[in-house]
Amino acid sequence: MEIGSVTAGGDHTDRVITAGSPATVQQKPSYPDLYPEGLPRLSSLFFNDPVVQGFGGAYAGHVVIGSGLYSSTYFLTEAGEVDRTQSHNFRIGGGWGDAAFLETSYPNDPDPWALINHYSLRSNGVLTRWDDKGGFGWTNPQSAGGFAAVKTMALLSQTSTYDTFLATTRGGALYTIRLPLSSPMKPIVKKVRSSTWQGFEALVLTKCGVYGSLLLGIDKDTGSGYLYAVGHANGTSTVIQGLGKVPATFTDPVYFRHILEPGKEPPLFGE
């Protein structure tokens, strides 16, 4: 999996973690001073377009900086450095001070821009989805409450009819939360495990095989990361195999998943 982070100083880091005996970590270039120091709180996935005419590539995603939501894009020069004249954080709106989670899903569709789904979880337990048809804004919000116990989540599955998240609770349970792409949004929640998952402050997940997933659980208190192979989600029958500790330190405030340009990344199908 390719995992990024936002450091306390506002930098982007990038590492590739490969499961094995033991796991290995490849450090990729980092990009400094993209955000105000100490203010970024949340990040969606970031996608990378490696070929942009006149540039050495581009990265784009969404971040919560303080209490504001921003669309974040930066371009690289041919030398691989951030082009400071083309690094932009566009404010979408305020009122995000109580947001606890942020993610974006690109649909399982021949046109990945046809319907983009944005998600947030608030500290009061309200989970909200917006659609972004053609990239023209966050519209048609659909919300559901009852998720105040959730500590963190990761996108697990993307189909033409639903998105599913893998979520941990503060009490240590592990659940799947399926969100049909219909209106009104009616979550379908299934317990996967009842305990031992409360130590992770962040989850990063990527596809592994046809139906499985590779999951990284990050314990910021100890700076540790642990890998798991997760079979196709099926409630408490879901197979989860521990793959051991990753030989790296995880102490940054924000972690996210790197993907290829939408349309070039296989959709997640872990449930």
Side-chain angles (χ1 to χ4, degrees), residues 222-261:
T222 63
S224 303
Y226 297 87
L227 283 177
Y228 300 87
V230 182
H232 198 65
N234 183 26
T236 55
S237 298
T238 305
V239 175
I240 302 178
Q241 178 185 359
L243 301 178
K245 187 176 180 181
V246 177
T249 302
F250 299 89
T251 55
D252 291 331
V254 180
Y255 288 92
F256 59 89
R257 183 169 65 104
H258 274 293
I259 69 168
L260 300 174
E261 180 185 4

PDB file of all heavy atoms in Angstrom, residues 222-261:
ATOM      1  N   THR A 222       2.013   4.846  20.525  1.00  0.00           N
ATOM      2  CA  THR A 222       3.297   4.142  20.547  1.00  0.00           C
ATOM      3  C   THR A 222       4.092   4.356  19.269  1.00  0.00           C
ATOM      4  O   THR A 222       5.229   3.885  19.170  1.00  0.00           O
ATOM      5  CB  THR A 222       3.071   2.632  20.749  1.00  0.00           C
ATOM      6  OG1 THR A 222       2.326   2.113  19.637  1.00  0.00           O
ATOM      7  CG2 THR A 222       2.307   2.364  22.037  1.00  0.00           C
ATOM      8  N   GLY A 223       3.495   5.042  18.292  1.00  0.00           N
ATOM      9  CA  GLY A 223       4.168   5.259  17.008  1.00  0.00           C
ATOM     10  C   GLY A 223       4.298   4.002  16.185  1.00  0.00           C
ATOM     11  O   GLY A 223       5.197   3.898  15.335  1.00  0.00           O
ATOM     12  N   SER A 224       3.382   3.050  16.376  1.00  0.00           N
ATOM     13  CA  SER A 224       3.497   1.737  15.750  1.00  0.00           C
ATOM     14  C   SER A 224       2.420   1.525  14.704  1.00  0.00           C
ATOM     15  O   SER A 224       1.314   2.063  14.797  1.00  0.00           O
ATOM     16  CB  SER A 224       3.384   0.627  16.803  1.00  0.00           C
ATOM     17  OG  SER A 224       4.366   0.782  17.814  1.00  0.00           O
ATOM     18  N   GLY A 225       2.750   0.697  13.689  1.00  0.00           N
ATOM     19  CA  GLY A 225       1.797   0.303  12.675  1.00  0.00           C
ATOM     20  C   GLY A 225       1.792  -1.204  12.521  1.00  0.00           C
ATOM     21  O   GLY A 225       2.853  -1.844  12.536  1.00  0.00           O
ATOM     22  N   TYR A 226       0.613  -1.790  12.377  1.00  0.00           N
ATOM     23  CA  TYR A 226       0.466  -3.236  12.263  1.00  0.00           C
ATOM     24  C   TYR A 226      -0.351  -3.572  11.014  1.00  0.00           C
ATOM     25  O   TYR A 226      -1.382  -2.946  10.752  1.00  0.00           O
ATOM     26  CB  TYR A 226      -0.224  -3.811  13.504  1.00  0.00           C
ATOM     27  CG  TYR A 226       0.565  -3.607  14.774  1.00  0.00           C
ATOM     28  CD1 TYR A 226       0.430  -2.437  15.514  1.00  0.00           C
ATOM     29  CD2 TYR A 226       1.463  -4.571  15.212  1.00  0.00           C
ATOM     30  CE1 TYR A 226       1.155  -2.233  16.672  1.00  0.00           C
ATOM     31  CE2 TYR A 226       2.200  -4.378  16.382  1.00  0.00           C
ATOM     32  CZ  TYR A 226       2.047  -3.210  17.101  1.00  0.00           C
ATOM     33  OH  TYR A 226       2.778  -3.010  18.247  1.00  0.00           O
ATOM     34  N   LEU A 227       0.118  -4.573  10.281  1.00  0.00           N
ATOM     35  CA  LEU A 227      -0.544  -4.994   9.050  1.00  0.00           C
ATOM     36  C   LEU A 227      -1.455  -6.193   9.291  1.00  0.00           C
ATOM     37  O   LEU A 227      -1.135  -7.083  10.092  1.00  0.00           O
ATOM     38  CB  LEU A 227       0.485  -5.372   7.991  1.00  0.00           C
ATOM     39  CG  LEU A 227       1.211  -4.247   7.254  1.00  0.00           C
ATOM     40  CD1 LEU A 227       2.243  -4.844   6.308  1.00  0.00           C
ATOM     41  CD2 LEU A 227       0.231  -3.354   6.502  1.00  0.00           C
ATOM     42  N   TYR A 228      -2.571  -6.206   8.540  1.00  0.00           N
ATOM     43  CA  TYR A 228      -3.520  -7.314   8.602  1.00  0.00           C
ATOM     44  C   TYR A 228      -3.993  -7.640   7.187  1.00  0.00           C
ATOM     45  O   TYR A 228      -4.236  -6.727   6.387  1.00  0.00           O
ATOM     46  CB  TYR A 228      -4.738  -6.956   9.454  1.00  0.00           C
ATOM     47  CG  TYR A 228      -4.412  -6.616  10.881  1.00  0.00           C
ATOM     48  CD1 TYR A 228      -4.071  -5.313  11.240  1.00  0.00           C
ATOM     49  CD2 TYR A 228      -4.437  -7.587  11.874  1.00  0.00           C
ATOM     50  CE1 TYR A 228      -3.768  -4.989  12.549  1.00  0.00           C
ATOM     51  CE2 TYR A 228      -4.129  -7.274  13.190  1.00  0.00           C
ATOM     52  CZ  TYR A 228      -3.791  -5.971  13.517  1.00  0.00           C
ATOM     53  OH  TYR A 228      -3.477  -5.655  14.821  1.00  0.00           O
ATOM     54  N   ALA A 229      -4.134  -8.914   6.905  1.00  0.00           N
ATOM     55  CA  ALA A 229      -4.804  -9.364   5.693  1.00  0.00           C
ATOM     56  C   ALA A 229      -6.248  -9.645   6.059  1.00  0.00           C
ATOM     57  O   ALA A 229      -6.532 -10.464   6.935  1.00  0.00           O
ATOM     58  CB  ALA A 229      -4.135 -10.618   5.134  1.00  0.00           C
ATOM     59  N   VAL A 230      -7.173  -8.943   5.406  1.00  0.00           N
ATOM     60  CA  VAL A 230      -8.593  -9.055   5.728  1.00  0.00           C
ATOM     61  C   VAL A 230      -9.309  -9.703   4.550  1.00  0.00           C
ATOM     62  O   VAL A 230      -9.232  -9.204   3.417  1.00  0.00           O
ATOM     63  CB  VAL A 230      -9.209  -7.673   6.024  1.00  0.00           C
ATOM     64  CG1 VAL A 230     -10.681  -7.810   6.395  1.00  0.00           C
ATOM     65  CG2 VAL A 230      -8.441  -6.969   7.148  1.00  0.00           C
ATOM     66  N   GLY A 231      -9.975 -10.807   4.806  1.00  0.00           N
ATOM     67  CA  GLY A 231     -10.734 -11.473   3.759  1.00  0.00           C
ATOM     68  C   GLY A 231     -11.998 -10.704   3.422  1.00  0.00           C
ATOM     69  O   GLY A 231     -12.330  -9.683   4.043  1.00  0.00           O
ATOM     70  N   HIS A 232     -12.736 -11.180   2.423  1.00  0.00           N
ATOM     71  CA  HIS A 232     -13.983 -10.527   2.031  1.00  0.00           C
ATOM     72  C   HIS A 232     -14.903 -10.449   3.242  1.00  0.00           C
ATOM     73  O   HIS A 232     -15.179 -11.448   3.900  1.00  0.00           O
ATOM     74  CB  HIS A 232     -14.651 -11.310   0.906  1.00  0.00           C
ATOM     75  CG  HIS A 232     -15.677 -10.514   0.156  1.00  0.00           C
ATOM     76  ND1 HIS A 232     -15.350  -9.414  -0.596  1.00  0.00           N
ATOM     77  CD2 HIS A 232     -17.024 -10.668   0.056  1.00  0.00           C
ATOM     78  CE1 HIS A 232     -16.451  -8.914  -1.145  1.00  0.00           C
ATOM     79  NE2 HIS A 232     -17.477  -9.657  -0.767  1.00  0.00           N
ATOM     80  N   ALA A 233     -15.348  -9.235   3.583  1.00  0.00           N
ATOM     81  CA  ALA A 233     -16.090  -9.019   4.817  1.00  0.00           C
ATOM     82  C   ALA A 233     -17.406  -9.783   4.830  1.00  0.00           C
ATOM     83  O   ALA A 233     -18.203  -9.703   3.897  1.00  0.00           O
ATOM     84  CB  ALA A 233     -16.335  -7.529   5.016  1.00  0.00           C
ATOM     85  N   ASN A 234     -17.620 -10.505   5.924  1.00  0.00           N
ATOM     86  CA  ASN A 234     -18.833 -11.309   6.082  1.00  0.00           C
ATOM     87  C   ASN A 234     -19.166 -11.398   7.568  1.00  0.00           C
ATOM     88  O   ASN A 234     -19.238 -12.476   8.153  1.00  0.00           O
ATOM     89  CB  ASN A 234     -18.632 -12.698   5.480  1.00  0.00           C
ATOM     90  CG  ASN A 234     -19.888 -13.544   5.563  1.00  0.00           C
ATOM     91  OD1 ASN A 234     -20.994 -13.027   5.603  1.00  0.00           O
ATOM     92  ND2 ASN A 234     -19.709 -14.860   5.619  1.00  0.00           N
ATOM     93  N   GLY A 235     -19.335 -10.242   8.190  1.00  0.00           N
ATOM     94  CA  GLY A 235     -19.662 -10.217   9.606  1.00  0.00           C
ATOM     95  C   GLY A 235     -18.584 -10.862  10.457  1.00  0.00           C
ATOM     96  O   GLY A 235     -17.389 -10.738  10.177  1.00  0.00           O
ATOM     97  N   THR A 236     -19.004 -11.591  11.478  1.00  0.00           N
ATOM     98  CA  THR A 236     -18.044 -12.214  12.390  1.00  0.00           C
ATOM     99  C   THR A 236     -17.294 -13.385  11.749  1.00  0.00           C
ATOM    100  O   THR A 236     -16.332 -13.889  12.324  1.00  0.00           O
ATOM    101  CB  THR A 236     -18.753 -12.697  13.664  1.00  0.00           C
ATOM    102  OG1 THR A 236     -19.827 -13.570  13.307  1.00  0.00           O
ATOM    103  CG2 THR A 236     -19.316 -11.516  14.442  1.00  0.00           C
ATOM    104  N   SER A 237     -17.727 -13.813  10.567  1.00  0.00           N
ATOM    105  CA  SER A 237     -17.015 -14.881   9.850  1.00  0.00           C
ATOM    106  C   SER A 237     -15.843 -14.361   9.031  1.00  0.00           C
ATOM    107  O   SER A 237     -15.108 -15.147   8.427  1.00  0.00           O
ATOM    108  CB  SER A 237     -17.990 -15.620   8.923  1.00  0.00           C
ATOM    109  OG  SER A 237     -19.032 -16.237   9.646  1.00  0.00           O
ATOM    110  N   THR A 238     -15.656 -13.038   8.993  1.00  0.00           N
ATOM    111  CA  THR A 238     -14.569 -12.445   8.223  1.00  0.00           C
ATOM    112  C   THR A 238     -13.221 -12.948   8.725  1.00  0.00           C
ATOM    113  O   THR A 238     -12.935 -12.937   9.930  1.00  0.00           O
ATOM    114  CB  THR A 238     -14.603 -10.905   8.345  1.00  0.00           C
ATOM    115  OG1 THR A 238     -15.889 -10.430   7.953  1.00  0.00           O
ATOM    116  CG2 THR A 238     -13.527 -10.268   7.481  1.00  0.00           C
ATOM    117  N   VAL A 239     -12.378 -13.387   7.804  1.00  0.00           N
ATOM    118  CA  VAL A 239     -11.038 -13.878   8.152  1.00  0.00           C
ATOM    119  C   VAL A 239     -10.085 -12.687   8.248  1.00  0.00           C
ATOM    120  O   VAL A 239     -10.002 -11.871   7.316  1.00  0.00           O
ATOM    121  CB  VAL A 239     -10.532 -14.874   7.098  1.00  0.00           C
ATOM    122  CG1 VAL A 239      -9.098 -15.294   7.401  1.00  0.00           C
ATOM    123  CG2 VAL A 239     -11.457 -16.085   7.031  1.00  0.00           C
ATOM    124  N   ILE A 240      -9.388 -12.563   9.380  1.00  0.00           N
ATOM    125  CA  ILE A 240      -8.392 -11.512   9.573  1.00  0.00           C
ATOM    126  C   ILE A 240      -7.101 -12.176  10.046  1.00  0.00           C
ATOM    127  O   ILE A 240      -7.080 -12.855  11.072  1.00  0.00           O
ATOM    128  CB  ILE A 240      -8.855 -10.458  10.601  1.00  0.00           C
ATOM    129  CG1 ILE A 240     -10.169  -9.819  10.156  1.00  0.00           C
ATOM    130  CG2 ILE A 240      -7.780  -9.398  10.787  1.00  0.00           C
ATOM    131  CD1 ILE A 240     -10.723  -8.797  11.138  1.00  0.00           C
ATOM    132  N   GLN A 241      -6.038 -11.961   9.291  1.00  0.00           N
ATOM    133  CA  GLN A 241      -4.738 -12.560   9.615  1.00  0.00           C
ATOM    134  C   GLN A 241      -3.747 -11.460   9.953  1.00  0.00           C
ATOM    135  O   GLN A 241      -3.490 -10.568   9.139  1.00  0.00           O
ATOM    136  CB  GLN A 241      -4.210 -13.373   8.427  1.00  0.00           C
ATOM    137  CG  GLN A 241      -2.840 -13.990   8.672  1.00  0.00           C
ATOM    138  CD  GLN A 241      -2.291 -14.693   7.441  1.00  0.00           C
ATOM    139  OE1 GLN A 241      -2.950 -14.727   6.404  1.00  0.00           O
ATOM    140  NE2 GLN A 241      -1.090 -15.225   7.542  1.00  0.00           N
ATOM    141  N   GLY A 242      -3.190 -11.503  11.147  1.00  0.00           N
ATOM    142  CA  GLY A 242      -2.166 -10.545  11.538  1.00  0.00           C
ATOM    143  C   GLY A 242      -0.869 -10.810  10.800  1.00  0.00           C
ATOM    144  O   GLY A 242      -0.393 -11.944  10.753  1.00  0.00           O
ATOM    145  N   LEU A 243      -0.287  -9.751  10.223  1.00  0.00           N
ATOM    146  CA  LEU A 243       0.956  -9.880   9.457  1.00  0.00           C
ATOM    147  C   LEU A 243       2.144  -9.233  10.148  1.00  0.00           C
ATOM    148  O   LEU A 243       3.224  -9.169   9.574  1.00  0.00           O
ATOM    149  CB  LEU A 243       0.767  -9.261   8.058  1.00  0.00           C
ATOM    150  CG  LEU A 243      -0.344  -9.868   7.201  1.00  0.00           C
ATOM    151  CD1 LEU A 243      -0.448  -9.126   5.874  1.00  0.00           C
ATOM    152  CD2 LEU A 243      -0.104 -11.353   6.960  1.00  0.00           C
ATOM    153  N   GLY A 244       1.931  -8.741  11.344  1.00  0.00           N
ATOM    154  CA  GLY A 244       3.057  -8.238  12.112  1.00  0.00           C
ATOM    155  C   GLY A 244       3.224  -6.732  12.079  1.00  0.00           C
ATOM    156  O   GLY A 244       2.509  -5.997  11.392  1.00  0.00           O
ATOM    157  N   LYS A 245       4.221  -6.297  12.826  1.00  0.00           N
ATOM    158  CA  LYS A 245       4.515  -4.874  12.985  1.00  0.00           C
ATOM    159  C   LYS A 245       5.329  -4.360  11.803  1.00  0.00           C
ATOM    160  O   LYS A 245       6.221  -5.045  11.288  1.00  0.00           O
ATOM    161  CB  LYS A 245       5.279  -4.655  14.287  1.00  0.00           C
ATOM    162  CG  LYS A 245       5.507  -3.206  14.663  1.00  0.00           C
ATOM    163  CD  LYS A 245       6.194  -3.115  16.022  1.00  0.00           C
ATOM    164  CE  LYS A 245       6.437  -1.675  16.425  1.00  0.00           C
ATOM    165  NZ  LYS A 245       7.132  -1.593  17.740  1.00  0.00           N
ATOM    166  N   VAL A 246       5.024  -3.140  11.366  1.00  0.00           N
ATOM    167  CA  VAL A 246       5.745  -2.516  10.265  1.00  0.00           C
ATOM    168  C   VAL A 246       7.006  -1.840  10.820  1.00  0.00           C
ATOM    169  O   VAL A 246       6.940  -1.140  11.825  1.00  0.00           O
ATOM    170  CB  VAL A 246       4.856  -1.465   9.560  1.00  0.00           C
ATOM    171  CG1 VAL A 246       5.627  -0.759   8.454  1.00  0.00           C
ATOM    172  CG2 VAL A 246       3.605  -2.131   9.011  1.00  0.00           C
ATOM    173  N   PRO A 247       8.173  -2.033  10.179  1.00  0.00           N
ATOM    174  CA  PRO A 247       9.418  -1.431  10.679  1.00  0.00           C
ATOM    175  C   PRO A 247       9.514   0.054  10.316  1.00  0.00           C
ATOM    176  O   PRO A 247      10.331   0.466   9.498  1.00  0.00           O
ATOM    177  CB  PRO A 247      10.499  -2.257   9.984  1.00  0.00           C
ATOM    178  CG  PRO A 247       9.873  -2.694   8.701  1.00  0.00           C
ATOM    179  CD  PRO A 247       8.417  -2.926   9.019  1.00  0.00           C
ATOM    180  N   ALA A 248       8.639   0.848  10.928  1.00  0.00           N
ATOM    181  CA  ALA A 248       8.611   2.289  10.685  1.00  0.00           C
ATOM    182  C   ALA A 248       7.907   2.946  11.862  1.00  0.00           C
ATOM    183  O   ALA A 248       7.248   2.282  12.668  1.00  0.00           O
ATOM    184  CB  ALA A 248       7.891   2.616   9.373  1.00  0.00           C
ATOM    185  N   THR A 249       8.052   4.267  11.969  1.00  0.00           N
ATOM    186  CA  THR A 249       7.426   5.031  13.043  1.00  0.00           C
ATOM    187  C   THR A 249       6.250   5.826  12.488  1.00  0.00           C
ATOM    188  O   THR A 249       6.337   6.427  11.422  1.00  0.00           O
ATOM    189  CB  THR A 249       8.448   5.980  13.690  1.00  0.00           C
ATOM    190  OG1 THR A 249       9.549   5.201  14.185  1.00  0.00           O
ATOM    191  CG2 THR A 249       7.820   6.749  14.833  1.00  0.00           C
ATOM    192  N   PHE A 250       5.147   5.832  13.242  1.00  0.00           N
ATOM    193  CA  PHE A 250       3.924   6.503  12.802  1.00  0.00           C
ATOM    194  C   PHE A 250       3.464   7.479  13.892  1.00  0.00           C
ATOM    195  O   PHE A 250       2.687   7.103  14.773  1.00  0.00           O
ATOM    196  CB  PHE A 250       2.831   5.470  12.516  1.00  0.00           C
ATOM    197  CG  PHE A 250       3.183   4.505  11.423  1.00  0.00           C
ATOM    198  CD1 PHE A 250       3.846   3.317  11.717  1.00  0.00           C
ATOM    199  CD2 PHE A 250       2.863   4.774  10.103  1.00  0.00           C
ATOM    200  CE1 PHE A 250       4.181   2.421  10.715  1.00  0.00           C
ATOM    201  CE2 PHE A 250       3.186   3.881   9.091  1.00  0.00           C
ATOM    202  CZ  PHE A 250       3.853   2.709   9.394  1.00  0.00           C
ATOM    203  N   THR A 251       3.951   8.686  13.832  1.00  0.00           N
ATOM    204  CA  THR A 251       3.620   9.685  14.848  1.00  0.00           C
ATOM    205  C   THR A 251       3.075  10.978  14.259  1.00  0.00           C
ATOM    206  O   THR A 251       2.865  11.948  14.988  1.00  0.00           O
ATOM    207  CB  THR A 251       4.865  10.015  15.701  1.00  0.00           C
ATOM    208  OG1 THR A 251       5.929  10.422  14.838  1.00  0.00           O
ATOM    209  CG2 THR A 251       5.311   8.815  16.517  1.00  0.00           C
ATOM    210  N   ASP A 252       2.844  11.025  12.943  1.00  0.00           N
ATOM    211  CA  ASP A 252       2.303  12.238  12.336  1.00  0.00           C
ATOM    212  C   ASP A 252       0.836  12.402  12.713  1.00  0.00           C
ATOM    213  O   ASP A 252       0.132  11.420  12.983  1.00  0.00           O
ATOM    214  CB  ASP A 252       2.459  12.194  10.816  1.00  0.00           C
ATOM    215  CG  ASP A 252       3.906  12.312  10.379  1.00  0.00           C
ATOM    216  OD1 ASP A 252       4.689  12.956  11.112  1.00  0.00           O
ATOM    217  OD2 ASP A 252       4.269  11.758   9.322  1.00  0.00           O
ATOM    218  N   PRO A 253       0.327  13.631  12.698  1.00  0.00           N
ATOM    219  CA  PRO A 253      -1.059  13.846  13.123  1.00  0.00           C
ATOM    220  C   PRO A 253      -2.110  13.320  12.149  1.00  0.00           C
ATOM    221  O   PRO A 253      -3.220  12.995  12.568  1.00  0.00           O
ATOM    222  CB  PRO A 253      -1.161  15.375  13.264  1.00  0.00           C
ATOM    223  CG  PRO A 253       0.030  15.938  12.597  1.00  0.00           C
ATOM    224  CD  PRO A 253       1.070  14.884  12.531  1.00  0.00           C
ATOM    225  N   VAL A 254      -1.791  13.232  10.844  1.00  0.00           N
ATOM    226  CA  VAL A 254      -2.791  12.869   9.839  1.00  0.00           C
ATOM    227  C   VAL A 254      -2.202  11.833   8.880  1.00  0.00           C
ATOM    228  O   VAL A 254      -1.068  12.002   8.405  1.00  0.00           O
ATOM    229  CB  VAL A 254      -3.241  14.105   9.037  1.00  0.00           C
ATOM    230  CG1 VAL A 254      -4.278  13.707   7.985  1.00  0.00           C
ATOM    231  CG2 VAL A 254      -3.802  15.188   9.952  1.00  0.00           C
ATOM    232  N   TYR A 255      -2.977  10.779   8.594  1.00  0.00           N
ATOM    233  CA  TYR A 255      -2.568   9.768   7.620  1.00  0.00           C
ATOM    234  C   TYR A 255      -3.663   9.598   6.569  1.00  0.00           C
ATOM    235  O   TYR A 255      -4.847   9.790   6.845  1.00  0.00           O
ATOM    236  CB  TYR A 255      -2.292   8.429   8.306  1.00  0.00           C
ATOM    237  CG  TYR A 255      -1.012   8.455   9.107  1.00  0.00           C
ATOM    238  CD1 TYR A 255      -1.043   8.796  10.459  1.00  0.00           C
ATOM    239  CD2 TYR A 255       0.218   8.182   8.515  1.00  0.00           C
ATOM    240  CE1 TYR A 255       0.142   8.857  11.201  1.00  0.00           C
ATOM    241  CE2 TYR A 255       1.397   8.237   9.246  1.00  0.00           C
ATOM    242  CZ  TYR A 255       1.354   8.577  10.579  1.00  0.00           C
ATOM    243  OH  TYR A 255       2.517   8.651  11.297  1.00  0.00           O
ATOM    244  N   PHE A 256      -3.248   9.223   5.348  1.00  0.00           N
ATOM    245  CA  PHE A 256      -4.200   9.043   4.255  1.00  0.00           C
ATOM    246  C   PHE A 256      -3.633   8.058   3.243  1.00  0.00           C
ATOM    247  O   PHE A 256      -2.449   7.698   3.290  1.00  0.00           O
ATOM    248  CB  PHE A 256      -4.530  10.382   3.577  1.00  0.00           C
ATOM    249  CG  PHE A 256      -3.330  11.091   2.995  1.00  0.00           C
ATOM    250  CD1 PHE A 256      -2.920  10.842   1.693  1.00  0.00           C
ATOM    251  CD2 PHE A 256      -2.602  12.001   3.758  1.00  0.00           C
ATOM    252  CE1 PHE A 256      -1.811  11.480   1.148  1.00  0.00           C
ATOM    253  CE2 PHE A 256      -1.494  12.648   3.225  1.00  0.00           C
ATOM    254  CZ  PHE A 256      -1.102  12.391   1.922  1.00  0.00           C
ATOM    255  N   ARG A 257      -4.485   7.646   2.307  1.00  0.00           N
ATOM    256  CA  ARG A 257      -4.091   6.692   1.270  1.00  0.00           C
ATOM    257  C   ARG A 257      -3.793   7.421  -0.032  1.00  0.00           C
ATOM    258  O   ARG A 257      -4.531   8.320  -0.432  1.00  0.00           O
ATOM    259  CB  ARG A 257      -5.216   5.668   1.045  1.00  0.00           C
ATOM    260  CG  ARG A 257      -4.892   4.576   0.029  1.00  0.00           C
ATOM    261  CD  ARG A 257      -5.937   3.482   0.072  1.00  0.00           C
ATOM    262  NE  ARG A 257      -7.260   3.941  -0.348  1.00  0.00           N
ATOM    263  CZ  ARG A 257      -7.795   3.664  -1.538  1.00  0.00           C
ATOM    264  NH1 ARG A 257      -7.120   2.956  -2.437  1.00  0.00           N
ATOM    265  NH2 ARG A 257      -9.002   4.078  -1.846  1.00  0.00           N
ATOM    266  N   HIS A 258      -2.685   7.061  -0.687  1.00  0.00           N
ATOM    267  CA  HIS A 258      -2.379   7.545  -2.029  1.00  0.00           C
ATOM    268  C   HIS A 258      -2.997   6.600  -3.049  1.00  0.00           C
ATOM    269  O   HIS A 258      -2.923   5.377  -2.906  1.00  0.00           O
ATOM    270  CB  HIS A 258      -0.863   7.570  -2.264  1.00  0.00           C
ATOM    271  CG  HIS A 258      -0.193   8.817  -1.799  1.00  0.00           C
ATOM    272  ND1 HIS A 258      -0.406  10.043  -2.377  1.00  0.00           N
ATOM    273  CD2 HIS A 258       0.704   9.032  -0.798  1.00  0.00           C
ATOM    274  CE1 HIS A 258       0.338  10.959  -1.771  1.00  0.00           C
ATOM    275  NE2 HIS A 258       1.004  10.373  -0.811  1.00  0.00           N
ATOM    276  N   ILE A 259      -3.599   7.154  -4.101  1.00  0.00           N
ATOM    277  CA  ILE A 259      -4.081   6.333  -5.206  1.00  0.00           C
ATOM    278  C   ILE A 259      -3.612   6.940  -6.524  1.00  0.00           C
ATOM    279  O   ILE A 259      -3.129   8.081  -6.564  1.00  0.00           O
ATOM    280  CB  ILE A 259      -5.616   6.200  -5.205  1.00  0.00           C
ATOM    281  CG1 ILE A 259      -6.283   7.546  -5.553  1.00  0.00           C
ATOM    282  CG2 ILE A 259      -6.118   5.647  -3.895  1.00  0.00           C
ATOM    283  CD1 ILE A 259      -7.767   7.411  -5.852  1.00  0.00           C
ATOM    284  N   LEU A 260      -3.775   6.169  -7.586  1.00  0.00           N
ATOM    285  CA  LEU A 260      -3.507   6.680  -8.913  1.00  0.00           C
ATOM    286  C   LEU A 260      -4.641   7.610  -9.330  1.00  0.00           C
ATOM    287  O   LEU A 260      -5.657   7.730  -8.645  1.00  0.00           O
ATOM    288  CB  LEU A 260      -3.377   5.525  -9.902  1.00  0.00           C
ATOM    289  CG  LEU A 260      -2.278   4.503  -9.619  1.00  0.00           C
ATOM    290  CD1 LEU A 260      -2.381   3.346 -10.611  1.00  0.00           C
ATOM    291  CD2 LEU A 260      -0.903   5.150  -9.694  1.00  0.00           C
ATOM    292  N   GLU A 261      -4.468   8.256 -10.457  1.00  0.00           N
ATOM    293  CA  GLU A 261      -5.518   9.102 -10.999  1.00  0.00           C
ATOM    294  C   GLU A 261      -6.823   8.306 -11.098  1.00  0.00           C
ATOM    295  O   GLU A 261      -6.824   7.150 -11.502  1.00  0.00           O
ATOM    296  CB  GLU A 261      -5.103   9.593 -12.386  1.00  0.00           C
ATOM    297  CG  GLU A 261      -6.117  10.486 -13.068  1.00  0.00           C
ATOM    298  CD  GLU A 261      -5.697  10.828 -14.480  1.00  0.00           C
ATOM    299  OE1 GLU A 261      -4.659  10.321 -14.953  1.00  0.00           O
ATOM    300  OE2 GLU A 261      -6.422  11.597 -15.124  1.00  0.00           O
TER     301      GLU A 261
END
